[in-house]
């Protein structure tokens, strides 16, 4: 049987003293706003990969049958929730300054999904998806709201299975209200997380308050 | 008419939480072209519609090409629109939200012109869904002076009669040049304060444009004497409409700007059209007659265009598309150069179709890397006799050499396409399919290392023959759906191996395709009747409503069975005879006769002209880059 291999990669990885691949890790911050908050996590991930390709950054790829870009994403935003401090990490096989990399990805982006910061981080630092378990959300309503009760339990349906979650387990502090805005601080756990939109829906159920937008505005360790 | 000014986004946004996949309606994709304040507000506005959902239409070449062509011309611009999913369409109706364009979220009825492509026969009711959701009268004759001019085109325009009542004008053939001409004509007419009638007359003067309202249907005897089923009643209308050919295709840049969607779509990749036309001459194939002659872009153009496109879009896959990609005279060079250029970037090059010989397999192997998904082949018929009838110039030896080459190369799965109900088919031909795939399976196992033989799979995909307008088989009837199922069962019972699976399409949908393909103007009532009974999205199994179609045909007094199943006399005047693909009717008749004599006709792009009549009429020629061999 004729044996074929993938074409020889054009990329020659630099090696460290132990013969390991020398790769450079960059962390980008981007916003996801306006109507593009309606995109799913997968759609955003897909988009960002293409941004990196369009930016022609020297990204590393995995070995194996179907090589793909070594990019990783921060915690998922639910459909309909925007973000001003979302992150993704990228491994490069050649060192590129964060300023240069940022300029290139910005030129390859659409305005509502735009990277705005970039820094070098340690290759062994925690993965983007688990680096920041604490999220702050700003919930804007269609009118001023003085307070809303937090229910003791919320039912969530995932993959056709119903689970009951206790918001108290996820709330870092009680929700704060100011004018038409509520601030929610939620922590995600190894066992799962409580989606902000699900919590807000439970809190506004039975009232005629409507949600104008939900945005993740801060991430913390 | 002033350009669209209404922005429906705030209303659409409020509805989106109800949508199953909001991403379909968001726009703002990378590569979208927007109006800017510097643009002339007097520019003619055009919206190009794909009559199905975003997922299906996004990658459609017609939409991409025509939007680009119109945007490239001064004095006009184009936006895109797609049909919402059925459930969301109902929600829009309930909320009073009309169909909108993506880029500016403007109501369709505010545009100067609307283009709707007719990609396949099952999109008929979707055309009405587009018009209805847009808030326009379904029939052209009922539209008001200021309403947009509704233009049609695409593959089904080669028999436009079933759609004739719904379109103001229909473009026959390739639209690269014709569509901007039509938009310019509408813009100029409106700027000059012309009436709708006058604008339609101007449109009728553009070559390749059919204005159905300018014709009357003739009774049988009159038609026989006149030679066409319809006769002009307006001095601007021609008795016969010749399709348009984009003569600059081969020289035009292979990189055509495209939108990069957010949505995770099935065929989401860069596609580069490397050649147009296929003259292998399969007698059932409409595309083979419609896109003549063969025109190849050069290897330099293709490779540069594909690399440029990859860079500009960020796609990780590029598909080199055409009706017969492996027939390109420079395909080997193209694939080798592409492979070398994308090495190490995690980019996949793919070719959609390969010819049935070992060369086709070699080309597939060249781009497959270590990935060995499935290969597809289309022998179409199970016996040599029937393959000769349909002019599939493929021998059993070709089939076996390609299959064994593929399995030697490491493939473990292949899919074989066959048509059932082809003219002259007998049960022997059906058993011939069973015998062929059984032997293919055995041959595939034979060349597969023993430890991997358990993974060998052959799947058989059956479709029902649909007589298509403008082909040598346009006269031949389709078999009844029940008979089709009997033949499917005969085939299934003739196959003994579990590793061979058989799939088939619902013959009831193929029946509707045949009616739409061969019907005349009387079918307009059928489409409208079916639509009013809830038929839409007929290409989606879960939406297909055969009973709505049946009731509509009955009400319209149309014998749908006869349209689909009757074999027409070669001398009969056909409902679409006034529409010419450039291939002479006498050639189609000759090909039909050769079919029944089991005589084959060679491919003119590999050898000499076989006399279809098109090239001399247009003063053009086959354009290959090098001599084709095979
Ligand atoms: S006229 Fe001759 S060369 Fe041209 S497409 Fe027809 S058969 Fe081929």
């Amino acid at each position: 049987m004729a044996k074929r291999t993938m074409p020889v990669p054009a990329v020659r990885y630099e090696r460290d003293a132990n013969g390991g691949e020398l790769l450079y890790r960059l962390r980008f911050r981007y916003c996801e706003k306006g109507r593009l908050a309606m995109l799913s996590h997968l759609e955003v991930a897909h988009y960002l990969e293409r941004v990196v390709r369009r930016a022609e950054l020297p990204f590393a790829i995995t070995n194996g049958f179907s090589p793909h870009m070594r990019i990783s994403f921060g915690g998922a935003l639910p459909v309909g929730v925007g973000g001003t401090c979302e992150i993704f990490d990228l491994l490069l096989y050649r060192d590129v300054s964060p300023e240069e990399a940022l300029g290139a990805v910005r030129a390859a982006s659409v305005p509502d999904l735009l990277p705005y910061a970039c820094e070098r981080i340690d290759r062994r630092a925690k993965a983007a998806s688990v680096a920041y378990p604490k999220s702050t959300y700003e919930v804007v309503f269609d009118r001023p709201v003085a307070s809303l009760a937090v229910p003791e339990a919320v039912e969530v349906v995932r993959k056709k299975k119903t689970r009951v979650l206790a918001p108290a387990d996820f709330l870092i502090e009680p929700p704060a209200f100011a004018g038409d805005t509520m601030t929610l601080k939620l922590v995600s756990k190894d066992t799962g997380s409580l989606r902000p939109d699900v919590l807000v829906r439970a809190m506004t159920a039975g009232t005629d308050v409507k949600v104008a937008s939900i945005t993740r505005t801060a991430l913390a360790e | 008419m002033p350009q669209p000014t209404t922005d429906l986004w705030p209303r659409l946004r409020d509805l989106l939480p109800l949508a199953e996949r909001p991403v379909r309606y968001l726009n703002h994709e990378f590569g979208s072209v927007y109006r800017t304040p510097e643009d002339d507000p007097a520019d003619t506005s055009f919206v190009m519609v794909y009559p199905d959902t975003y997922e299906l239409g996004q990658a459609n070449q017609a939409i991409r090409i025509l939007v680009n062509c119109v945007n490239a011309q001064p004095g006009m611009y184009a936006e895109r629109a797609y049909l919402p999913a059925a459930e969301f369409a109902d929600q829009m109706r309930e909320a009073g939200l009309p169909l909108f364009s993506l880029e500016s979220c403007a109501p369709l009825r505010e545009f100067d012109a609307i283009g709707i492509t007719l990609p396949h026969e099952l999109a008929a009711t979707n055309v009405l869904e587009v018009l209805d959701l847009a808030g326009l009268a379904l029939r052209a004759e009922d539209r008001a002076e200021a309403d947009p001019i509704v233009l049609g085109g695409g593959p089904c325009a080669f028999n436009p009669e079933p759609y004739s009542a719904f379109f103001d004008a229909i473009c026959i053939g390739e639209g690269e040049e014709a569509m901007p001409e039509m938009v310019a004509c509408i813009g100029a007419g409106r700027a000059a304060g012309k009436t709708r009638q006058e604008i339609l007359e101007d449109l009728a003067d553009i070559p390749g444009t059919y204005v159905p309202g300018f014709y009357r249907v003739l009774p049988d005897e009159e038609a026989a004497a006149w030679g066409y089923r319809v006769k002009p009643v307006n001095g601007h209308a021609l008795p016969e409409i010749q399709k348009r050919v984009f003569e600059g295709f081969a020289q035009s840049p292979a990189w055509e700007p495209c939108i990069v969607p957010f949505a995770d779509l099935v065929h989401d990749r860069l596609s580069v059209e490397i050649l147009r036309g296929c003259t292998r001459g399969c007698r059932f194939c409409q595309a083979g007659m419609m896109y003549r002659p063969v025109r190849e872009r050069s290897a330099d153009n293709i490779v540069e265009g594909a690399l440029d496109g990859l860079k500009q879009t960020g796609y990780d896959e590029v598909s080199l598309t055409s009706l017969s990609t492996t027939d390109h005279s420079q395909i080997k060079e193209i694939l080798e150069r592409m492979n070398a250029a994308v090495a190490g970037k995690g980019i996949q090059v793919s070719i959609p179709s390969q010819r049935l010989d070992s060369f086709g397999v070699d080309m597939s192997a060249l781009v497959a890397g270590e990935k060995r998904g499935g290969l597809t082949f289309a022998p179409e018929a199970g016996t040599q006799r029937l393959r000769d009838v349909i002019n599939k110039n493929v021998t059993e030896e070709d089939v076996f050499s390609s299959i064994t080459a593929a399995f030697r190369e490491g493939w473990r799965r292949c899919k074989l396409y066959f048509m059932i109900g082809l003219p002259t088919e007998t049960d022997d031909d059906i058993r011939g399919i069973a015998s062929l795939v059984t032997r293919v399976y055995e041959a595939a196992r034979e060349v597969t290392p023993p430890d991997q033989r358990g993974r060998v799979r052959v799947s058989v995909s059956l479709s029902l023959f649909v007589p298509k307008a403008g082909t040598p088989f346009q006269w031949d009837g389709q078999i009844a759906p029940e008979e089709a199922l009997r033949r499917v069962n005969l085939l299934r019972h003739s196959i003994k191996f579990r590793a061979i699976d058989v799939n088939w399409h619902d013959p009831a949908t193929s029946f509707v395709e045949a009616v739409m393909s061969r019907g005349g103007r009387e079918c307009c009532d059928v489409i409208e009747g079916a639509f009013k009974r809830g038929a839409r999205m007929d290409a989606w199994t879960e939406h297909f409503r055969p009973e709505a179609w049946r009731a509509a045909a009955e009400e319209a007094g149309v014998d749908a069975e006869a349209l689909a199943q009757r074999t027409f006399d070669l001398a009969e005047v056909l409902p679409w005879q006034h529409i010419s693909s450039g291939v002479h009717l006498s050639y189609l008749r000759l090909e039909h006769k050769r079919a029944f004599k089991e005589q084959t006709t060679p491919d003119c792009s590999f050898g000499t002209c076989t006399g279809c009549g098109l090239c001399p009429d247009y003063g053009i020629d086959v354009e290959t880059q090098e001599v084709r061999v095979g």
Side-chain angles (χ1 to χ4, degrees), chain B residues 456-526:
Chain B
V456 172
R457 293 278 178 283
V458 175
S459 60
V460 177
S461 181
L462 301 174
S463 61
L464 180 56
F465 163 70
V466 176
K468 300 262 185 170
T471 66
F473 285 164
Q474 62 185 354
W475 293 278
D476 297 284
Q478 185 179 58
I479 57 172
E482 310 75 58
E483 171 62 10
L485 287 177
R486 186 193 68 81
R487 294 189 196 181
V488 168
N489 284 327
L490 172 62
L491 172 60
R492 288 172 62 211
H493 292 128
S494 312
I495 290 177
K496 304 281 173 257
F497 291 105
R498 289 242 306 275
I500 304 175
D501 67 294
V502 181
N503 307 291
W504 63 96
H505 296 290
D506 177 10
T509 55
S510 309
F511 172 73
V512 173
E513 287 179 276
V515 174
M516 287 300 116
S517 180
R518 299 211 301 172
R521 288 205 177 185
E522 70 279 13
C523 286
C524 296
D525 290 341
V526 181

Side-chain angles (χ1 to χ4, degrees), chain B residues 171-396:
Chain B
C171 169
I172 313 295
E174 297 171 354
E176 275 94 343
E177 292 161 326
M179 196 48 90
E181 287 169 27
M182 292 169 90
V183 176
C185 170
I186 293 166
R190 294 207 149 169
K194 289 191 182 179
T195 63
R196 202 174 176 86
Q197 171 80 6
E198 289 167 331
I199 294 175
L200 292 179
E201 287 175 352
D202 292 347
L203 282 171
D205 291 339
I206 297 176
T209 310
Y210 175 53
V211 179
F214 289 171
Y215 296 79
R216 86 183 156 88
V217 179
L218 302 179
D220 287 351
E221 303 89 81
E222 233 185 292
W226 170 248
Y228 301 105
R229 280 267 153 206
V230 296
K231 189 170 190 174
V233 292
N234 182 298
H236 293 264
L238 294 176
E240 182 178 307
I241 311 288
Q242 289 275 333
K243 81 158 180 199
R244 291 290 291 265
V245 176
F246 175 38
E247 291 180 24
F249 172 80
Q251 290 72 40
S252 62
W255 158 234
E256 297 169 275
C258 65
I259 305 282
V260 186
F262 292 114
D264 200 19
L265 307 177
V266 192
H267 292 302
D268 194 17
R269 57 191 173 205
L270 176 68
S271 63
V272 173
E273 192 181 5
I274 70 166
L275 68 98
R276 198 169 280 181
C278 169
T279 37
R280 293 213 155 226
C282 297
R283 291 174 175 136
F284 54 81
C285 177
Q286 200 181 29
M289 299 295 150
M290 254 159 38
Y291 295 109
R292 288 176 176 229
V294 164
R295 289 149 285 163
E296 293 180 353
R297 283 175 167 153
S298 72
D300 286 348
N301 186 358
I302 292 162
V303 174
E304 277 162 33
L307 295 178
D308 199 17
L310 285 168
K311 192 166 131 182
Q312 304 219 21
T313 58
Y315 275 122
D316 60 2
E317 183 178 352
V318 53
S319 176
L320 305 177
T321 65
S322 75
L323 292 169
S324 54
T325 291
T326 36
D327 281 346
H328 194 294
S329 60
Q330 299 170 313
I331 188 64
K332 189 159 183 281
E333 176 193 339
I334 294 167
L335 294 179
E336 283 170 351
R337 281 170 65 182
M338 284 301 301
N339 271 348
V342 301
K345 293 185 180 164
I347 286 173
Q348 173 80 37
V349 180
S350 60
I351 49 177
S353 48
Q354 54 278 310
R355 53 201 225 193
L356 251 167
D357 57 16
S358 48
F359 180 77
V361 174
D362 284 349
M363 292 305 104
S364 298
L366 204 53
V367 292
E370 283 179 9
K371 245 193 207 167
R372 292 285 189 268
L375 270 191
T376 55
F377 298 100
E380 305 290 3
T383 57
Q384 194 58 47
R385 183 199 71 78
L386 192 52
R387 281 194 298 273
D388 289 345
V389 168
I390 64 175
N391 204 41
K392 186 88 201 178
N393 283 318
V394 159
T395 62
E396 196 154 301

Side-chain angles (χ1 to χ4, degrees), chain B residues 279 292-294 582-583 587 602-605 607-617 620-622:
Chain B
T279 37
R292 288 176 176 229
V294 164
V583 175
Y587 182 78
D603 182 339
C604 64
S605 69
T608 51
C609 171
T610 58
C612 82
L614 183 140
C615 292
D617 281 0
I620 52 179
D621 216 338
V622 174

Side-chain angles (χ1 to χ4, degrees), chain A residues 114-188:
Chain A
L114 192 63
Y116 60 85
C118 175
E119 58 180 343
R120 286 198 173 92
I121 64 164
D122 191 278
R123 253 197 84 177
R124 285 167 299 274
K126 273 190 187 169
S129 55
V130 293
Y132 304 108
K134 294 176 181 165
S135 298
T136 304
Y137 297 93
E138 260 180 34
V139 184
V140 179
F141 298 109
D142 62 342
R143 70 197 71 182
V145 175
S147 79
L148 287 169
V150 176
E152 261 173 41
V154 260
E155 267 196 8
V156 293
V157 188
R158 247 196 117 220
K159 290 185 184 150
K160 293 192 178 148
K161 269 200 216 137
T162 312
R163 273 177 71 193
V164 178
L165 298 178
D169 294 347
F170 300 91
L171 274 171
I172 299 167
E173 55 190 55
F177 293 85
D180 60 359
T181 304
M182 168 174 78
T183 305
L184 276 181
K185 291 191 178 177
L186 293 170
V187 64
S188 63

Side-chain angles (χ1 to χ4, degrees), chain A residues 1-2 4-11 35-36 38-39 42-43 46-47 50 53-54 56 59 61 65-67 79 108 110 112-113, chain B residues 9 16 22-23 26-28 30 260-262 264 268 311-316 343-347 365 369-372 408-409 412:
Chain A
M1 187 179 112
R4 276 170 201 275
T5 48
M6 274 292 277
V8 186
V11 177
R35 63 182 71 179
L36 296 190
M38 300 292 296
L39 296 179
L42 191 71
E43 288 159 357
H46 222 66
Y47 160 83
R50 287 171 183 171
R53 285 184 184 277
R54 289 194 287 263
E56 298 192 88
F59 57 86
I61 58 173
F65 268 177
S66 54
V79 170
V110 299
D112 283 351
L113 260 176
Chain B
W9 172 251
L16 280 185
V23 66
L26 293 180
N27 94 71
H28 283 209
F30 185 83
V260 186
F262 292 114
D264 200 19
D268 194 17
K311 192 166 131 182
Q312 304 219 21
T313 58
Y315 275 122
D316 60 2
K345 293 185 180 164
I347 286 173
E370 283 179 9
K371 245 193 207 167
R372 292 285 189 268
R408 275 204 192 94
E409 282 282 356
R412 294 292 167 259

